[in-house]
């Protein structure tokens, strides 16, 4: 089947009920012989249809645009067979799309085979209310949700489209003793599929019937996005909902005679059954929202016989089924392995309640072998209720942390979790120093146990899924999980959730694994309040700093206007650095001026546009400051040509550039070398929040280095004063002192900040580590350097540019006058 099947359906409708000419869009995945069709090519066709024979023949021309921009005009003939005014499960339209151009012509393309099930006036023939018992003979009376509980007011087709037909299902082969008895069909498949996907062709809400495609796939990721059609691994069938058993029963058929050509393809061998249900009860070994199985009506001696196949949904839709229940089955083992801790007299600390948002967390995992990974722990149920906190939002900070008036024991609660872990394998460096990343390995654990809200201890028994050969999925339930939550108030335990995951099997057991250390940033009410308060403070500091920059530059413009003779003694290199420092945020975040882009997968705070408004304010003030710096730069440059000492000043500027430029370039090279050395040593993702694990990139390091250059903006002016031996008050004190304060305050703030609250990626508003170097060492060195440069400028403008240079290294008067002598 080609991707243009939907366009063909429209074409057939226009033929059967309209004129006799139409337009066909052919997708780009068609394998061409000569040309590379990167875009769909459009064919305008006209022809005739014979109602008696059901044949369609149409000829036309089209247009196609290649990747290099060449426009082609293919000529083709479309032939379709078995077109009827009504259709059933066995009706199949076949045909070809052939090029009429010579094979050596650029417009030529290979013949396209067409295979499609018609949708016009389709009649369900193999399933009906009377045939439900026959189709469901292999299914059992499990406790399932009735259709009304699943639909929740929506129509049958729309609900099944969102829950079933957009899902991917993992396969479990039961009793698959040989490769010939594992799948429908007579052939032998080397690699057994690990998943299936279902897609609807027709659906009726009133009769609750569907016609579907069932596609086997050996890769879950491909099943989600790959629409390629392979009739050898695809089944077509009709299904009906059984209100007695609360199941969907489907009878599936195979595509036959497709080995050599699709021209003789037809539908037959309708001996495969499928049942799909929504279980009402979960357990530690079964947490699938949708389950089902595939079987055959054939006997073991028949050709095409296969053992039953069980499938389960890969996505969790627990919140779509609010009446879902969980059955705790590990009470005995939990009591033995998770003894109750006694509460000390002086340990009346508050811990998150079992229903609070703090029970959901992300974590960093490290094995005893040194491997690292990250994962998520999502609570499923608390006692007999579903855990409904699926997302952390700004409003929930106020609602989900009730503030008790006095301490009181909260007791223990039964709780169940789903824990997903992804291992990150460090890159392997080849001889060319290129990193080849090994695909991530996953660990899926379902656990249940007891949470003690008085001690913050969470102890659970877990079961992990194991992928075995031939796709048989077994479960290892010999896992013990222990977590210790941080108190809601105070910073005990370092403000982290800490714990371990270990196997309770013998070391000689094949399922044994070394223990895993787990850590995660704790999140509580006090930290949330502190974080929100800090965000408001940082936004205010940014606005104040940018306003101070604009006022400082404006004062320098006023100073230059009052004393135009001092303007030529301003370093152009310094003004360029200051202007570029204001220009960089405009270039890197230009879209913030016009629209809000929210492409982060997980958002901590829903701020109602407050952060976005702050972004716009920063960009506007940066643009104003840039324009003011540019104006000073323009005035200083033009004043040099009018000044009689212009040649001497140009010499001083040239010497300043010769000193600063190599210095800045060598610093950038050092940053790149250090970054590369860190990359070669290892890539370990460190948690800076429970939401994200962030790793600095080379671009972040270069941006931080650019911030360091801006911190030392007075260095070019100091060198310029030395080379020109100027004592002119070129810079107004309010300008260089005000700008210096703007540069050093973020580092002072970083030193002062109490890091007891949780810092989230994306909330570094004032002291942003991606825009400067922030650490205890840098936060001391940079402010000292900024204040030292400001003091030197003050001394130079009072006692001369060479006042800081020892007398034996100062320029001689005769040498100072050399650049000022005319060439004659």
């Amino acid at each position: 089947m080609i991707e243009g099947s939907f366009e063909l359906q429209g074409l057939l409708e226009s033929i059967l009920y309209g004129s006799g000419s139409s337009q066909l869009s052919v997708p780009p995945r068609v394998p061409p012989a000569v040309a590379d069709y990167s875009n769909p090519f459009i064919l305008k066709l006209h022809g005739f249809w014979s109602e008696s024979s059901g044949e369609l023949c149409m000829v036309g021309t089209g247009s196609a645009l290649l990747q290099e921009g060449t426009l082609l005009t293919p000529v083709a003939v479309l032939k379709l067979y078995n077109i009827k005014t009504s259709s059933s499960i066995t009706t199949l339209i076949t045909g070809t799309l052939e090029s009429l151009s010579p094979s050596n012509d650029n417009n030529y393309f290979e013949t396209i085979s067409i295979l499609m099930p018609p949708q016009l006036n389709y009649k369900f023939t193999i399933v009906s209310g009377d045939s439900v018992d026959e189709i469901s003979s292999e299914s059992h009376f499990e406790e399932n949700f009735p259709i009304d509980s699943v639909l929740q007011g929506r129509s049958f087709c729309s609900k099944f489209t969102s829950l079933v037909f957009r899902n991917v299902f993992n396969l479990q082969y039961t009793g698959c003793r040989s490769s010939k008895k594992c799948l429908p069909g007579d052939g032998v498949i080397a690699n057994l599929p690990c998943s299936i996907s279902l897609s609807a062709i027709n659906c009726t809400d009133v009769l609750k019937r569907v016609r579907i495609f069932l596609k086997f796939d050996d890769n879950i990721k491909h099943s989600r996005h790959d629409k390629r059609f392979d009739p050898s691994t695809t089944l077509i069938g009709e299904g009906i909902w059984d209100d007695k058993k609360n199941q969907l029963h489907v009878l599936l058929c195979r595509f036959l005679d497709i080995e050599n050509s699709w021209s003789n393809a037809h539908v037959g061998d309708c001996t495969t059954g499928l049942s799909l249900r929504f279980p009402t009860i979960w357990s530690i070994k079964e947490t699938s929202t949708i389950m089902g199985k595939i079987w055959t009506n054939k006997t073991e001696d028949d050709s095409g016989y296969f053992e039953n196949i069980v499938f389960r949904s890969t996505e969790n839709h627990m919140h779509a089924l609010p009446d879902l229940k969980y059955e705790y089955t590990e009470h005995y083992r939990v009591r033995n392995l998770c003894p109750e801790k006694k509460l000390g007299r002086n340990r009346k600390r508050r811990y998150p309640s079992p229903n609070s948002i703090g029970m959901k967390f992300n974590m960093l995992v490290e094995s005893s072998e040194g491997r690292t990974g990250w994962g998520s722990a999502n609570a499923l149920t608390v006692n007999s209720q579903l855990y409904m906190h699926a997302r952390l939002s700004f409003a929930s900070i106020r609602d989900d942390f009730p503030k008790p008036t006095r301490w009181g024991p909260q007791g223990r609660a039964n709780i169940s979790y789903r824990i997903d872990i992804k291992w990150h394998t460090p890159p392997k460096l080849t001889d060319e120093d290129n990193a080849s990343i090994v695909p991530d390995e996953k660990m899926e654990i379902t656990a249940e146990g007891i949470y003690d809200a008085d001690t913050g201890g969470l102890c659970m028994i877990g079961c992990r899924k194991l992928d075995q050969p031939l796709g048989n999925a077994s479960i290892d339930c010999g896992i013990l999980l222990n977590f210790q939550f941080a108190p809601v108030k105070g910073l005990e335990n370092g403000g982290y959730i800490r714990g371990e995951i270990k196997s309770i099997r013998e070391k000689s057991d094949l399922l044994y694994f070394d223990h895993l250390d787990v850590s995660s940033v704790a999140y509580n009410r006090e930290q949330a309040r502190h974080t929100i308060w800090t965000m408001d403070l940082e936004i205010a500091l940014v606005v104040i700093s940018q306003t101070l920059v604009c006022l400082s530059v404006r004062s320098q413009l006023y100073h230059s206007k009052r004393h135009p003779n001092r303007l030529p003694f301003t370093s152009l290199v310094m003004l360029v650095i200051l202007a570029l420092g204001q220009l960089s945020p405009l270039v890197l975040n230009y879209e913030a001026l016009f629209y809000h882009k929210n492409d982060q997968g997980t958002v901590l705070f829903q701020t109602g546009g407050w952060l976005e408004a702050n972004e716009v304010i920063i960009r506007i003030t940066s643009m104003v400051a840039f324009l003011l710096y540019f104006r000073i730069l323009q005035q200083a440059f033009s004043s040099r040509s009018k000044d009689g000492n212009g040649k001497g000043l140009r010499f001083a500027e040239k010497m300043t550039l010769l000193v600063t430029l190599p210095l800045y370039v060598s610093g950038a090279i050092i940053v790149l070398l250090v970054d590369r050395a860190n990359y070669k040593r290892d890539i370990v993702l460190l948690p800076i929040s429970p939401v994200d694990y962030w790793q600095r990139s080379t671009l972040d390091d270069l941006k931080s280095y650019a911030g360091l250059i801006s911190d030392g903006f007075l260095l070019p002016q100091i060198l310029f004063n030395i080379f020109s031996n100027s004592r002119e008050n070129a810079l107004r004190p309010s300008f260089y002192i005000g700008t210096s304060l703007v540069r050093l305050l973020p580092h002072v703030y970083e030193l002062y900040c109490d890091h007891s609250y949780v810092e989230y990626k994306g909330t570094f508003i004032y002291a942003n580590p991606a825009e400067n170097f922030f650490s205890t060492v840098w936060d001391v060195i940079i402010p000292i350097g900024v204040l030292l440069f400001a003091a030197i400028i003050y001394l130079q403008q009072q006692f001369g540019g060479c006042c800081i240079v020892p007398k034996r290294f100062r320029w001689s008067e005769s040498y100072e006058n050399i650049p000022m002598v005319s060439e004659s």
Side-chain angles (χ1 to χ4, degrees), residues 65-337:
L65 184 63
L66 301 186
Q67 289 183 343
E68 61 270 17
T70 305
L71 181 63
L72 300 181
T73 56
V75 182
V77 55
L78 173 67
K79 298 178 182 179
L80 297 178
Y81 307 97
N82 200 28
I83 299 177
K84 300 178 180 180
T85 55
S86 63
S87 57
S88 63
I89 187 67
T90 57
T91 307
L92 203 60
I93 297 176
T94 60
T96 58
L97 182 65
E98 301 177 8
S99 175
L100 297 179
S101 302
S103 58
N104 57 353
D105 194 302
N106 287 335
N107 294 307
Y108 175 82
F109 59 89
E110 292 181 356
T111 300
I112 303 168
S113 296
I114 299 174
L115 177 65
M116 58 178 293
Q119 300 183 33
L120 301 175
N121 298 329
Y122 182 81
K123 296 180 180 180
F124 290 88
T125 56
I126 64 174
V127 295
S128 62
D130 299 333
S131 62
V132 170
D133 294 335
E134 180 181 352
I135 300 175
S136 61
S137 60
E138 285 287 336
S139 61
H140 301 284
F141 287 89
E142 296 92 347
E143 187 176 352
N144 305 316
F145 277 111
I147 190 62
D148 293 336
S149 299
V150 177
L151 298 182
Q152 298 180 7
R154 295 176 59 182
S155 66
F156 174 82
C157 295
S158 64
K159 189 67 174 182
F160 263 67
T161 299
S162 60
L163 278 182
V164 179
F165 301 134
R166 293 179 182 174
N167 211 327
V168 177
F169 302 90
N170 286 331
L171 297 180
Q172 178 184 352
Y173 297 91
T174 60
C176 184
R177 293 186 297 272
S178 65
S179 58
K180 292 184 178 180
K181 295 183 179 181
C182 297
L183 288 174
D186 301 326
V188 178
I189 299 178
N191 297 320
L192 284 176
C194 64
S195 65
I196 62 170
S197 60
L198 305 176
S199 58
I201 307 173
N202 300 89
C203 184
T204 61
D205 289 319
V206 178
L207 300 177
K208 300 173 186 175
R209 298 179 183 178
V210 292
R211 183 167 61 138
I212 67 169
F213 278 133
L214 185 150
K215 177 184 175 183
F216 290 92
D217 203 293
D218 58 356
N219 192 305
I220 293 178
K221 293 181 180 180
H222 289 172
S223 295
R224 294 176 181 271
H225 308 290
D226 195 355
K227 297 182 180 180
R228 290 178 295 179
F229 178 78
D230 184 359
S232 63
T233 59
T234 304
L235 302 179
I236 186 172
E238 291 182 2
I240 186 171
W241 181 264
D242 184 357
D243 290 318
K244 295 180 181 179
K245 297 182 179 180
N246 295 319
Q247 295 182 2
L248 178 69
H249 302 298
V250 182
L251 188 60
L252 296 165
C253 308
R254 295 171 53 208
F255 292 96
L256 304 177
D257 295 337
I258 55 174
E259 289 78 12
N260 300 321
S261 174
W262 288 2
S263 59
N264 298 322
H266 61 280
V267 175
D269 189 14
C270 301
T271 58
T272 303
L274 178 146
S275 64
L276 182 144
R277 62 190 182 92
F278 302 88
T280 59
I281 299 177
W282 278 8
S283 67
I284 191 173
K285 297 181 180 180
E286 193 58 74
T287 57
S288 299
T289 310
I290 306 173
M291 291 184 60
K293 67 178 179 178
I294 306 170
W295 71 91
T296 179
N297 295 328
K298 296 181 179 181
T299 62
E300 190 170 356
D301 297 330
D302 293 337
S303 175
Y305 171 83
F306 63 95
E307 300 288 346
N308 291 351
I309 304 173
V310 178
F311 61 87
R312 296 176 175 85
S313 59
T314 58
E315 296 183 4
N316 188 339
H317 297 283
M318 59 182 296
H319 300 292
L321 304 171
D323 297 328
L324 190 66
K325 298 178 181 178
Y326 187 91
E327 182 178 341
Y328 295 91
T329 59
E330 300 290 338
H331 293 289
Y332 178 76
R333 289 208 298 165
V334 169
R335 283 198 302 268
N336 291 337
L337 297 175

Side-chain angles (χ1 to χ4, degrees), residues 395-409:
S396 66
I397 294 174
R398 302 185 181 92
D399 300 335
D400 294 330
F401 292 94
K403 189 174 182 180
T405 55
R406 59 189 180 89
W407 183 89

Side-chain angles (χ1 to χ4, degrees), residues 382-402:
V382 177
N383 292 325
S384 59
Q385 302 293 325
L386 291 180
Y387 180 81
M388 300 302 295
H389 296 289
R391 183 176 179 180
L392 179 61
S393 63
F394 184 80
S396 66
I397 294 174
R398 302 185 181 92
D399 300 335
D400 294 330
F401 292 94

